[in-house]
Amino acid sequence: MKMKKKLFAILLSIVMVVGLLPVTALAADPTVYDIWVDGVQVTSENKDNLCSGTVSYDPTTHTLSLNNATLDKDTKSGYGIKTNIPSTLKIRLTGTNSITRTYPGGGVGIYLNYSNSVEITGDGTLVINVIGENYDGISTGADVKISDKARVIINSEGGLGIAGRMVEIDGATVDSTGLYAGIDAHRLKIVNGADVTLKATQDKRNGAFIRKDNEGNGGDIELAASKVKATSYYPALFTEGNLTVNGGEVSCTSTADGAIWTKGDILIKGGAKVTTDGKFPMGGNGTFTVEEAEVDAKNTNVNNIPAIFDECVPVIADGYHLNYAKAVDSEGTEIDLLSSGTQYFALYKNVHFITKAVYPVSFVVTPDSLTNVVVKVNGQEVTGPVSLEAGTYPVEVTADNCKAYTGNITITADAATHTQTIAMTYLPADYTKVDEAIAKANALNKDNYKDFSAVEAAVNAVVRDKNITEQSEVDAMAKVIEDAIAALQYKDADYTKVDAAIAKANALNKNDYKDFTGVEAAVNAVTRGKNLTEQTEVDAMAKAIEDAIAALQYKDADYTKVDAAIAKANALKKADYKDFSGVETAVKAVVRGKNITEQSEVDKMAKAIEDAIAALEKKPASTKPGTSDKSPQTGDTSNLALWIALLFISGGAAIGTTVVSRKKKYNR
């Protein structure tokens, strides 16, 4: 039993030993990457914790991250960062980082072999200080790109600040100083708001030296919407190709030569501001074209040397013009060159000029049928398309029958602003006649007319806000109102009183009156057809008839029967009658002066007398002897006295009638 246990223990030990053997045999060596940081090669083991954890490397994206890293521990190492990886090395900056190479034999801040490129990004700062001869801040045979918000400061005391095939600075801040050049490359591109300062410290060197490659390609500088400052002994910006400045600000200073020099062409545009300060003219061997820009070229040489090379005089591109151009001669006198163009720019030590884009602006004035149209821009009359810079301009437009237009136009690079449409407003039509006609209609009393609806319709048909081109329509409105007024018919005058007066006259018996001609004349004078406005005349006709009727005088009553009755009574001897007083009373009751309308009363007087006479009773015959019914022929005058009395009464009545008759005549 003990033997079995011992064997089992031996077998278990063997199994355990065998189980450990594969682990030891299969353990892999760490991966080694072709990149060194501060003299330390990066491996799979240290990639996440380089330089005390301030540097890390991602081999899948080839990204080296620096986070407040300081690379200066191995002074004998020739390189702060070195790589031969077959891809672009990406360096991402966070915080403040530095690479310092102080080895006397020289060193490079960032070094890549001739086939590798480097791209520096992030929002941190990297300061590279290289002390030593013939060594650079950043050196690669391929491309260098610094972008994002990265800030890179380079000071290479014995070499180049940045050396590469293509150097691109995109939106980053770079301050590169080198002994030989701030940047040495086959192509330089600074864009998108980058802020770059370049400087060469050795004589006969350039701030940026951009040359063609061995195949003759490249050699161009492109600066766009960025701020660039370059300083050196020789031209601060030198290129064997072309220089293009598109916007931004460029300031170049040469302490012994021209501030800018190209073997190719120069193009400045996009509103760029370029300032040069040198001892010799700036320019080049090619053309010098200016679109929209500001160039301030100065020559600080004590000698009278122009600021611009005389074989590279600026040419203003089509679509642009000089907005400002002044020069200063050798004696310091300022000269205005605006009117002369660019032909004298290469004669003066200081030349400052500004060009602006101009656009052919056309004016379309509507409506199309306008006449005598005058367009003024900035107070100057224009007769066709006018070249204007971008900006705002006062415009005045006049035309026949229109209100004067005043306003501002804004011109930009947008082609839509290059055709300006000015809509003129016609003067309003003259409604004076219409208003007068309406006032005339309103002054009328519509109740005086048979039908006032046509006038009201004409007034209601008036349309306001017509313009002067529609004046004939407005005048027609006035005429319609006037015509409607002219066609009005007054209502007929009221002849009621006239008719009543005539009826009253017709009811009279003209034979009852002494003179009826006045009434007949008044009736005959009546004129029919008078209207309401002649009512007073019609009323006057009625009054004339009424007055004529009122003035009528009746004829005198006929007293013939009365007089006959009186004469009959007077022929009687009252002594022959028992009582003659009834006759006398009836005679005395006679009233003279009655008119024909009182004839019945007069006839009654006659009848009363006749009746009194008829009622007389004679006295009986006398019975005394010797008497006779015949009156004796004596001197008795009693009957004579009675006759005389009757004569006086009759005469008085006649006289009274005559007097009354005369009074009536006078009363008429």
Side-chain angles (χ1 to χ4, degrees):
M1 189 68 179
K2 289 183 178 180
M3 188 61 139
K4 288 181 179 180
K5 288 183 177 180
K6 188 174 180 180
L7 288 172
F8 180 77
I10 292 171
L11 289 173
L12 182 61
S13 298
I14 293 171
V15 170
M16 292 179 66
V17 170
V18 171
L20 291 172
L21 286 175
V23 174
T24 303
L26 295 175
D29 292 332
T31 302
V32 177
Y33 304 112
D34 202 0
I35 179 171
W36 288 261
V37 177
D38 205 9
V40 177
Q41 187 170 16
V42 181
T43 69
S44 58
E45 291 183 346
N46 67 10
K47 66 182 179 63
D48 295 325
N49 190 26
L50 291 163
C51 300
S52 302
T54 61
V55 180
S56 62
Y57 178 68
D58 183 350
T60 59
T61 61
H62 309 292
T63 300
L64 186 69
S65 298
L66 277 62
N67 186 354
N68 293 310
T70 300
L71 309 184
D72 63 354
K73 290 182 172 57
D74 186 355
T75 59
K76 292 184 179 182
S77 171
Y79 309 101
I81 298 171
K82 176 184 176 183
T83 184
N84 292 315
I85 60 173
S87 183
T88 298
L89 174 65
K90 298 177 181 178
I91 300 176
R92 184 165 185 81
L93 304 177
T94 301
T96 301
N97 306 275
S98 65
I99 299 175
T100 303
R101 299 291 96 182
T102 60
Y103 183 57
V108 178
I110 300 173
Y111 176 78
L112 297 90
N113 68 20
Y114 288 101
S115 62
N116 299 121
S117 299
V118 63
E119 181 177 352
I120 301 174
T121 64
D123 57 3
T125 300
L126 175 61
V127 179
I128 301 175
N129 283 307
V130 179
I131 310 290
E133 295 182 2
N134 298 319
Y135 286 92
D136 307 326
I138 299 175
S139 179
T140 176
D143 300 335
V144 177
K145 183 175 182 179
I146 304 173
S147 62
D148 206 358
K149 297 180 181 179
R151 186 168 183 262
V152 178
I153 301 171
I154 301 172
N155 183 20
S156 177
E157 292 187 0
L160 298 169
I162 300 174
R165 180 178 59 194
M166 161 70 175
V167 176
E168 180 179 358
I169 302 172
D170 185 349
T173 299
V174 175
D175 186 342
S176 180
T177 299
L179 178 67
Y180 306 127
I183 293 177
D184 185 319
H186 296 304
R187 187 179 176 193
L188 174 61
K189 185 177 182 180
I190 302 174
V191 296
N192 295 327
D195 189 343
V196 178
T197 301
L198 304 175
K199 185 177 182 180
T201 59
Q202 189 179 62
D203 289 351
K204 300 182 181 181
R205 303 296 179 178
N206 307 102
F209 182 78
I210 311 302
R211 51 196 165 77
K212 295 180 180 291
D213 60 21
N214 293 334
E215 287 76 32
N217 299 318
D220 297 330
I221 296 176
E222 179 185 350
L223 310 177
S226 298
K227 185 176 181 180
V228 178
K229 182 178 180 181
T231 304
S232 57
Y233 181 94
Y234 273 169
L237 294 181
F238 172 81
T239 174
E240 291 184 343
N242 301 320
L243 168 64
T244 300
V245 182
N246 185 3
E249 296 182 19
V250 177
S251 177
C252 298
T253 300
S254 171
T255 59
D257 208 313
I260 293 175
W261 191 262
T262 70
K263 288 188 177 181
D265 300 328
I266 299 174
L267 172 60
I268 303 176
K269 63 180 183 176
K273 182 176 181 180
V274 177
T275 301
T276 63
D277 188 337
K279 301 295 184 180
F280 283 90
M282 61 87 75
N285 300 118
T287 61
F288 186 176
T289 304
V290 180
E291 292 182 3
E292 183 167 352
E294 179 178 358
V295 178
D296 190 359
K298 296 182 177 64
N299 191 325
T300 55
N301 199 315
V302 294
N303 298 318
N304 186 20
I305 298 175
I308 297 176
F309 185 44
D310 59 2
E311 294 184 12
C312 189
V313 178
V315 174
I316 310 303
D318 290 342
Y320 303 86
H321 76 157
L322 282 173
N323 175 274
Y324 173 95
K326 289 189 178 180
V328 177
D329 64 15
S330 59
E331 297 179 355
T333 302
E334 186 176 79
I335 302 169
D336 193 336
L337 298 177
L338 187 61
S339 61
S340 62
T342 64
Q343 60 178 321
Y344 299 120
F345 279 12
L347 297 180
Y348 300 99
K349 295 189 65 173
N350 294 342
V351 177
H352 184 192
F353 65 94
I354 300 172
T355 58
K356 294 287 186 179
V358 291
Y359 308 100
V361 179
S362 299
F363 291 89
V364 177
V365 182
T366 60
D368 295 336
S369 58
L370 295 178
T371 57
N372 293 326
V373 178
V374 176
V375 179
K376 291 184 179 180
V377 180
N378 265 347
Q380 299 296 317
E381 183 176 343
V382 298
T383 57
V386 58
S387 295
L388 297 177
E389 300 175 7
T392 300
Y393 300 87
V395 173
E396 301 172 33
V397 183
T398 59
D400 289 346
N401 298 326
C402 290
K403 294 178 181 177
Y405 170 86
T406 58
N408 293 324
I409 60 170
T410 298
I411 305 303
T412 66
D414 185 354
T417 68
H418 302 166
T419 299
Q420 293 290 325
T421 300
I422 307 296
M424 299 296 286
T425 302
Y426 281 114
L427 291 169
D430 184 359
Y431 277 79
T432 302
K433 292 181 179 178
V434 169
D435 293 334
E436 289 174 351
I438 291 175
K440 186 175 179 181
N442 290 338
L444 301 175
N445 183 351
K446 67 178 183 179
D447 293 333
N448 290 342
Y449 302 93
K450 294 179 179 179
D451 185 0
F452 201 74
S453 61
V455 175
E456 291 175 327
V459 170
N460 292 333
V462 170
V463 178
R464 296 286 175 174
D465 298 326
K466 294 283 186 182
N467 63 50
I468 198 168
T469 65
E470 302 166 300
Q471 187 64 50
S472 60
E473 297 177 34
V474 175
D475 292 342
M477 297 177 200
K479 187 175 186 302
V480 170
I481 298 172
E482 291 287 355
D483 289 347
I485 291 173
L488 286 174
Q489 292 182 341
Y490 284 109
K491 291 179 179 178
D492 295 334
D494 184 0
Y495 278 79
T496 302
K497 292 181 180 180
V498 171
D499 293 336
I502 292 174
K504 186 176 178 180
N506 290 338
L508 299 177
N509 183 350
K510 68 178 182 178
N511 295 324
D512 290 344
Y513 301 93
K514 295 177 180 179
D515 186 359
F516 201 75
T517 59
V519 175
E520 291 174 329
V523 170
N524 292 333
V526 169
T527 303
R528 295 288 173 174
K530 295 286 184 180
N531 62 47
L532 192 64
T533 64
E534 302 167 300
Q535 187 64 49
T536 55
E537 298 177 33
V538 175
D539 291 342
M541 297 177 199
K543 187 175 184 301
I545 298 171
E546 290 288 354
D547 289 346
I549 291 173
L552 286 173
Q553 290 183 349
Y554 285 110
K555 292 179 179 180
D556 294 335
D558 184 1
Y559 279 80
T560 304
K561 291 181 180 180
V562 171
D563 292 338
I566 291 173
K568 185 177 180 180
N570 289 338
L572 298 175
K573 293 180 181 179
K574 72 176 182 177
D576 292 343
Y577 300 94
K578 292 179 180 179
D579 184 2
F580 200 77
S581 61
V583 174
E584 289 175 332
T585 299
V587 171
K588 289 179 181 179
V590 170
V591 178
R592 297 287 175 175
K594 295 288 184 180
N595 61 46
I596 197 169
T597 64
E598 301 167 300
Q599 188 63 51
S600 62
E601 297 177 29
V602 174
D603 291 343
K604 286 180 181 179
M605 296 177 199
K607 185 176 184 300
I609 298 171
E610 289 288 351
D611 289 346
I613 293 173
L616 286 173
E617 292 181 14
K618 287 189 177 184
K619 292 177 180 180
S622 176
T623 60
K624 292 181 179 180
T627 62
S628 170
D629 59 351
K630 290 185 182 180
S631 299
Q633 297 296 315
T634 67
D636 185 5
T637 60
S638 60
N639 287 335
L640 179 61
L642 176 61
W643 284 106
I644 291 171
L646 289 174
L647 179 62
F648 275 106
I649 291 171
S650 177
I655 292 169
T657 300
T658 302
V659 171
V660 171
S661 176
R662 288 181 177 175
K663 284 184 178 180
K664 286 185 178 180
K665 289 182 180 178
Y666 285 122
N667 288 337
R668 290 178 65 189

